[in-house]
């Protein structure tokens, strides 16, 4: 019994240390230019890049645990990358080297880390960034693949850290950048689990049993019910092309992302490199993302929803895109006075 | 005493007993340095007969003792003046620790001869129960370690092992069948016992070792 | 007759006050509670990993207070904020105090001392004839609720423990001893501050450097042990010199009653 355990251990260690025992120094003596990134809070996106040569991108994220509003009258202690849910949007180019600093605010209770799906390397960076309150960690990775990627806290119990809002997006643009559009926005869906039922006011605690049973109390865009409604709605003008970077932090639910009254002219399904066209609803799994593009032609208010529709109207998965501009009655008439079909048919 | 005065005297006496008792207790719980199992860090606590005071923050301030292959418990002070590679292991470790020893030997071999003569390697077991002097002697023999430069020993107690591990940044947990889950980290100490660098990548410590040798005191 | 009675009463109270300092003034602590020990299995261990047998021990009823720690520093000045070494503590050491030897408005005398490193906590406990508790001793003590030795099966009690993780840190920490003690007479094991254990280095999260020669575990977490798992994760993030604004400690002592 002992010998086979040792053998297995030996095999495992051989595999584990095979890659790490050779010394690889990174980050020293590079002659790339250095950029200091300023990641943004949703729904804003950092300006587009069209870089031809790789750079060293230095980015700093600070984890802050703080009480914020989850819905009207409902408060929750969110664990955040940068003070909001979702966490800050990071934008780099394929081939860049990214030096990521993770700070854990001294006022926090828990240790945290970060796992970026754009990272190739063990844990996506999580073991290298594990950090106690008041401390700072750092690691550096090369963005090998383009795409739109989720990042989230990788500290066990990971489900609880994610359920409390620790997720965001990192965009790795192909060299030369994505084609330009008129508007870009950052939207991220998440499910929340509270001890009290949906709508119960006051400071709500995380409900571990509901999370394990996958029965959320809230399903929202950008960290709160109403985060993209009314005064906070996304805006565009008739004739503009809007690109939405849509992520799904989960922890549990897949989003059936749809904009009522619009069609996605182009979708990069799963945030990858292929383009699908003319899509009504696209599936975004937890821990996944998609890029959708739509040209808006008719003014009005368009609802962003998770088309598993009870989530939209009973749990909060509802946002708005308001389009301003001249009407386009030949595309969409609005209400009409019904005319007689019989009369229509009767005409010679 | 008259009846009228009695309550006042009694009250005064009572107050004296009440607060006096507290003062006495505070005095009796004063620290006795001889009682603490481990000396406190910092030069301020060393007595007059101690060797010349070390700069603050030295491993050698902790009063740690280790039991060598000869079975004798010794402090680490004889490492003073040398740059040191320090780490921890356990003898029953199937692969990770032999790999660590190999890496340390490789690093040693890659050093220029005069630096290699100065460097000392301190390897302390966090499994003092099983890693007796005889077991440690076997480890030395298996790897052909040079006794003049390598100090293979076991912590004097489990608490001593925890203390050294905390300083070096090494974590370990007892698992089944006498095994341990543990991290691998090596520290470079300068001649005064101050930690200059710590890393899981042994070969990356060469520059720190050179720098540690260069600093006098 | 009445006067004599009052006098006797005053005497009795004075004597009681001098010999039973359970009124919680600064620097004085009630005697520690006695626990019988028992068997302890860590939440992250596999089934075949050894359970630890814990001998009878004693544990402070409350975390060490600011006032008590100040008294210790006055006895052993090496642990003053302006004298401690970088090996023994980091930059946050006693940061909430206004001066090296004064508490100030952000550190109430009876609030738990925080911003202390493992080395500092050990020195304090050694000076008091004790030591830090082991993880096993601490977790065995913390499994108890006000009503039962193992309160983890009580969902209501479990939720009160979990609630602490849902709340942000208060701006100033409250005094120790306000919550209901558990069946062992211990307060504040939950709901106030994290606490040091002597073998914090036994908490390892699987990472780049971990060598699982014991075949570590990453299985499903028993929902009963969620808070214990959170504590294991927190301990994994600590080094000996780490201080945080919500990490304190209490002392343990060998031997105990029943």
């Amino acid at each position: 019994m002992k010998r086979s355990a040792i053998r297995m251990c030996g095999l495992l260690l051989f595999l584990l240390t095979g890659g790490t025992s050779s010394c690889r120094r990174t980050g020293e003596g590079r002659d790339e230019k250095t950029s200091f990134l300023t990641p943004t809070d949703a729904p804003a996106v950092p300006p587009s890049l069209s870089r031809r040569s790789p750079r060293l991108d230095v980015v700093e994220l600070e984890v802050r645990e703080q009480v914020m509003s989850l819905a009207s009258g409902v408060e929750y202690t969110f664990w955040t990358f940068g003070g909001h849910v979702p966490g800050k949007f990071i934008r780099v180019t394929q081939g860049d080297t990214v030096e990521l600093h993770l700070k854990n605010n001294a006022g926090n209770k828990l240790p945290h880390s970060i796992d970026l799906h754009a990272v190739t390397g063990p844990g996506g960076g999580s073991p290298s960034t594990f950090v106690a309150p008041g401390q700072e960690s750092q690691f550096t990775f090369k963005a090998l693949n383009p795409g739109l990627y989720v990042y989230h806290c990788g500290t066990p119990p990971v489900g609880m850290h994610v359920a409390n809002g620790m997720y965001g997006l990192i965009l790795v643009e192909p060299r030369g950048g994505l084609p330009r559009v008129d508007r870009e926005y950052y939207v991220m869906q998440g499910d929340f689990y509270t001890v009290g039922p949906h709508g119960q006011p006051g400071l709500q605690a995380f409900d571990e049993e509901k999370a394990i049973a996958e029965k959320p109390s809230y399903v929202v865009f950008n960290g709160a019910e109403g985060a993209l409604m009314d005064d906070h709605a996304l805006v565009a003008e008739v004739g503009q092309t809007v690109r939405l970077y849509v992520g799904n932090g989960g922890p549990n639910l897949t989003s059936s992302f749809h904009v009522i009254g619009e069609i996605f002219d182009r979708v990069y399904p799963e945030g990858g490199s292929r383009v699908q066209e003319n899509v009504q609803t696209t599936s975004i799994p937890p821990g996944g993302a998609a890029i959708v593009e739509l040209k808006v032609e008719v003014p009005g208010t368009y609802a962003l929803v998770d088309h598993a529709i009870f989530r939209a109207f009973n749990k909060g998965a509802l946002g708005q895109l308001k389009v301003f501009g001249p009407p386009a009655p030949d595309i969409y008439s609005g209400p009409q006075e019904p005319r007689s079909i019989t009369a229509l048919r009767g005409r010679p | 005493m008259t009846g009228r005065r009695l309550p006042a005297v009694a009250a005064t006496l009572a107050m004296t007993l009440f607060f006096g008792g507290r003062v006495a207790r505070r005095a009796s719980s004063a620290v006795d340095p001889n009682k603490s199992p481990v000396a406190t860090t910092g030069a301020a606590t060393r007595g007059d007969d101690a060797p010349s005071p070390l700069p603050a923050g030295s491993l050698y301030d902790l009063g740690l003792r280790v039991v060598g292959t000869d079975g004798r418990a010794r402090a680490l002070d004889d490492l003073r003046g040398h740059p040191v590679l320090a780490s921890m292991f356990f003898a029953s470790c199937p692969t990770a620790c032999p790999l660590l020893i190999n890496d340390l030997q490789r690093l040693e071999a890659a050093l220029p001869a005069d630096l290699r003569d100065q460097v000392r390697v301190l390897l302390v077991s966090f499994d003092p129960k099983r890693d007796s002097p005889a077991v440690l002697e076997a480890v030395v023999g298996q790897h052909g370690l040079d006794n003049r430069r390598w100090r293979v020993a076991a912590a004097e107690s489990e608490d001593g092992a925890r203390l050294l591990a905390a300083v070096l940044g090494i974590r370990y947990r007892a698992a089944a069948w006498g095994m341990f889950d543990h991290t691998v980290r090596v520290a470079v100490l300068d001649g005064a016992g101050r930690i200059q660098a710590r890393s899981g990548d042994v070969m990356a410590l060469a520059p720190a070792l050179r720098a540690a040798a260069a600093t006098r005191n | 007759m009445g006067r004599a009675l009052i006098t006797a009463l005053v005497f009795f109270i004075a004597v009681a006050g001098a010999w039973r300092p359970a009124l919680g003034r600064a620097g004085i602590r009630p005697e520690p509670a006695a626990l019988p020990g028992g068997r302890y299995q860590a939440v992250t261990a596999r089934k075949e990993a050894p359970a630890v047998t814990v001998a009878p021990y004693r544990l402070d009823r409350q975390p060490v207070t600011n006032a008590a720690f100040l008294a210790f520093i006055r006895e052993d000045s090496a642990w003053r904020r302006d004298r401690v070494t970088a090996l023994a503590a980091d930059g946050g050491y006693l940061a909430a105090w206004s001066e090296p030897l004064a508490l100030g408005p952000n550190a109430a005398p009876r609030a738990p001392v925080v911003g202390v490193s493992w080395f500092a906590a050990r020195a304090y406990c050694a000076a008091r004839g004790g030591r830090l508790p082991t993880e096993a001793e601490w977790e065995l003590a913390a499994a108890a609720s006000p009503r039962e030795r193992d309160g983890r099966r009580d969902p209501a009690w479990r939720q009160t423990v979990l609630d602490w993780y849902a709340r942000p840190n208060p701006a100033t920490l409250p005094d120790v001893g306000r919550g209901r003690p558990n069946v062992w007479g211990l307060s504040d094991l939950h709901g106030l501050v994290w606490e040091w254990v002597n073998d914090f280095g036994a908490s390892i999260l699987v990472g780049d450097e971990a060598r699982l020669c014991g075949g570590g575990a990453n299985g499903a977490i028993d929902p009963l042990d969620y808070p214990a798992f959170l504590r294991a994760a927190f301990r994994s993030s600590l080094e000996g010199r780490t201080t945080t604004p919500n990490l304190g400690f209490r002392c343990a002592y060998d031997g105990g009653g029943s």
Side-chain angles (χ1 to χ4, degrees), chain B residues 31 33 36 38-45 61-62 163, chain C residues 68-90 93-95 97 99-101 113 115-127 240-243 249:
Chain B
V31 72
S36 53
V38 165
T40 52
T41 50
T45 58
D61 280 341
L62 299 179
L163 179 59
Chain C
F69 200 77
L70 177 58
F72 162 67
I73 291 186
R74 290 208 171 101
E75 297 158 355
D76 187 350
S77 63
W79 290 101
R80 282 170 53 142
R81 183 167 82 190
D82 52 350
R83 303 238 181 113
V84 77
T85 70
L87 184 149
D90 67 18
Y93 181 61
L94 298 177
W97 292 13
E99 283 169 52
L101 284 178
V113 67
V116 286
S117 67
W118 180 77
F119 296 104
R122 277 169 59 99
Y124 175 97
C125 291
R241 58 189 297 268
T242 304
T243 69
F249 70 103

Side-chain angles (χ1 to χ4, degrees), chain C residues 5-231:
Chain C
L5 207 57
I6 290 169
T7 310
L9 202 62
V10 169
F11 252 94
F12 176 76
I13 290 170
V15 168
W19 285 104
R20 305 231 307 125
L23 300 176
R25 292 276 178 81
I28 309 299
R29 52 166 173 81
E31 70 285 358
L35 290 93
R39 262 177 110 252
Y40 168 71
Q41 175 94 357
V43 291
T44 51
R46 281 202 181 158
K47 287 202 196 74
E48 64 267 18
V52 175
T53 303
V54 178
Y57 63 108
R58 286 164 294 142
L59 197 57
D60 282 344
R61 289 173 189 273
Q62 290 149 3
V64 174
T65 61
N66 278 312
F69 200 77
L70 177 58
F72 162 67
I73 291 186
R74 290 208 171 101
E75 297 158 355
D76 187 350
S77 63
W79 290 101
R80 282 170 53 142
R81 183 167 82 190
D82 52 350
R83 303 238 181 113
V84 77
T85 70
L87 184 149
D90 67 18
Y93 181 61
L94 298 177
W97 292 13
S98 58
E99 283 169 52
L101 284 178
L103 298 183
N106 297 326
R110 292 220 61 231
V113 67
V114 291
V116 286
S117 67
W118 180 77
F119 296 104
R122 277 169 59 99
Y124 175 97
C125 291
R128 298 281 172 269
R131 52 175 175 78
L132 283 175
T134 61
E135 170 194 315
E137 289 170 335
W138 199 97
E139 290 287 333
L140 274 180
S145 70
R147 275 201 301 270
E148 305 168 86
R149 291 190 173 193
D150 187 350
R152 292 172 298 171
R153 262 144 247 293
D154 174 0
W157 184 76
R158 257 192 359 251
Q159 191 60 47
T160 62
V161 172
L162 264 178
D163 281 349
W164 181 66
Y165 299 93
R167 291 197 298 271
N169 283 336
T172 43
L173 287 166
D175 288 356
V176 303
R178 289 184 329 161
R180 271 183 77 193
N182 67 14
V183 292
W184 304 118
L186 305 166
S187 308
D188 304 321
L189 288 163
H190 305 285
L192 187 54
V193 290
W194 301 102
E195 293 186 10
W196 280 111
V197 294
N198 199 49
D199 50 349
F200 75 90
S203 293
I204 309 174
L205 282 191
V206 179
D208 286 338
E209 293 175 346
R211 302 288 185 262
L212 307 178
C213 295
N218 232 341
I221 308 157
D222 180 355
L224 289 182
D225 288 321
Y226 233 71
F229 198 77
L230 287 165
R231 287 191 293 269

Side-chain angles (χ1 to χ4, degrees), chain B residues 48-108:
Chain B
D48 286 334
D49 54 345
S52 61
L54 298 169
S58 164
L59 176 64
Y60 307 139
D61 280 341
L62 299 179
L64 272 170
R65 285 160 31 111
V66 296
V67 181
T69 50
D70 61 358
R72 298 210 347 240
R74 272 195 203 84
L76 300 173
D77 289 50
D78 55 341
L79 292 169
R80 281 191 214 183
H82 297 272
V84 173
L85 290 164
S87 189
M88 300 185 79
F89 79 117
F90 69 110
S92 322
C93 177
T95 313
C97 307
L99 276 172
L100 167 66
I101 295 177
N102 278 353
D103 281 348
L104 288 167
Q105 285 175 305
R106 269 173 53 216
L107 173 58
E108 221 196 356

Side-chain angles (χ1 to χ4, degrees), chain A residues 9 12-13 16-17 20 65-67 76-77 79 106-111 122 127-128 130-135 154-161 164 195 203-209 212, chain C residues 90 155 158-159 162-170 192 194 205-208 210-215 218 221-224 226-227 229-230 233-238 242-246:
Chain A
C9 178
L12 183 65
L13 284 160
L16 277 174
T17 58
T20 58
E65 298 165 13
Q66 50 194 55
V67 177
Y76 190 82
T77 304
W79 300 348
N108 293 340
K109 231 170 225 154
L110 281 305
S128 307
F130 186 50
V131 63
Q135 317 285 332
T155 301
V158 176
M160 186 176 184
H161 285 252
N164 284 340
V195 172
L203 179 66
Q204 293 290 330
F206 167 67
D207 190 321
E208 164 208 332
E209 280 174 23
I212 294 171
Chain C
D90 67 18
R158 257 192 359 251
Q159 191 60 47
L162 264 178
D163 281 349
W164 181 66
Y165 299 93
R167 291 197 298 271
N169 283 336
L192 187 54
W194 301 102
L205 282 191
V206 179
D208 286 338
R211 302 288 185 262
L212 307 178
C213 295
N218 232 341
I221 308 157
D222 180 355
L224 289 182
Y226 233 71
F229 198 77
L230 287 165
F234 180 75
R235 290 181 198 123
S236 305
S237 74
L238 303 172
T242 304
T243 69
T244 88
N246 55 8

Side-chain angles (χ1 to χ4, degrees), chain B residues 146-168:
Chain B
D146 184 344
N147 263 323
R148 290 168 300 168
R149 290 203 304 275
W150 286 68
R151 190 130 166 236
V152 178
E156 201 182 11
S157 64
E158 299 204 345
D159 187 70
R162 278 292 165 207
L163 179 59
L164 181 59
V167 174
L168 299 180

